[in-house]
Amino acid sequence: MTEVTDGEFTAFVNERGPALLRFAYALAGSQHGAEDLLQNALAKAYARWPRIRGDAEPYVKKILYHDQVSGWRRRSRRPEVPVDVLPEPPAERDSGHDVDLRMLLRDALLTLPPRQRAVLTLRYLEDLSVEQTAALLGCRTGTVASQASRALAKLRQLVPDFVDHADRPEVNR
């Protein structure tokens, strides 16, 4: 690659890296998984950088999504090895109830199938339209709408406390 191309790629990563990491975290469900997912996606994008036309962020997000689904499929064929003690998540500086609610919501999100989690991530975290989400995931708009509806219904069922909590004005800042 040329210095100009390297500079463009570096500028892209510096500018959009944190947003892409948040997107990867929402897909992977863990910081380490998100970092690995993003690193692999950026390596793939770097190899194709001269051929990427226009905005590179949707291209990288599509790589992230496809890599996450591929990894999920591989893991379903190769079971995980259980461990005796799980590492503790980092402590949050919030009231006890908010932390508990966030943990419940995070655990509930992780129970969703990858496509539903991806739809919720794109629609509500990335604030994409149904059409943009469908284009990014390579499916129809009806599929996005139905997956979002099913995912939200499942979350409401798993974390009924969240619906009441979200209606409180101090939370909606």
Side-chain angles (χ1 to χ4, degrees):
M1 295 236 190
T2 66
E3 276 188 42
V4 173
T5 306
D6 283 347
E8 289 173 0
F9 182 77
T10 302
F12 168 75
V13 172
N14 287 337
E15 182 180 329
R16 299 306 307 154
L20 290 168
L21 183 59
R22 285 190 301 273
F23 180 77
Y25 182 87
L27 290 173
S30 73
Q31 185 69 26
H32 295 294
E35 290 169 355
D36 289 344
L37 194 61
L38 182 58
Q39 182 175 358
N40 290 335
L42 290 174
K44 289 178 180 180
Y46 180 77
R48 296 174 186 89
W49 193 254
R51 295 186 298 267
I52 297 175
R53 302 285 182 243
D55 187 13
E57 189 168 351
Y59 185 85
V60 174
K61 285 181 179 179
K62 196 168 192 174
I63 293 172
L64 287 167
Y65 168 72
H66 286 287
D67 284 357
Q68 176 64 19
V69 170
S70 295
W72 172 74
R73 287 182 181 145
R74 277 191 304 275
R75 282 188 298 278
S76 69
R77 287 185 229 128
R78 186 184 50 192
E80 292 181 3
V81 178
V83 295
D84 289 339
V85 179
L86 294 176
E88 291 294 321
E92 296 187 34
R93 292 178 289 184
D94 244 337
S95 72
H97 180 71
D98 287 347
V99 171
D100 292 341
L101 190 57
R102 285 184 187 180
M103 297 297 282
L104 280 172
L105 186 57
R106 187 198 69 186
D107 292 344
L109 281 168
L110 292 175
T111 66
L112 296 176
R115 180 164 278 218
Q116 288 181 2
R117 196 166 54 233
V119 165
L120 289 183
T121 300
L122 292 169
R123 289 282 293 128
Y124 301 107
L125 182 65
E126 292 294 315
D127 201 26
L128 297 181
S129 69
V130 172
E131 293 79 16
Q132 291 169 320
T133 303
L136 188 61
L137 297 179
C139 63
R140 297 174 185 247
T141 56
T143 302
V144 171
S146 67
Q147 292 291 309
S149 176
R150 288 182 188 134
L152 291 172
K154 181 73 172 182
L155 289 178
R156 285 184 191 106
Q157 177 187 1
L158 292 172
V159 190
D161 199 26
F162 183 68
V163 175
D164 299 332
H165 187 75
D167 292 334
R168 292 190 348 219
E170 68 271 10
V171 174
N172 292 329
R173 284 184 254 171

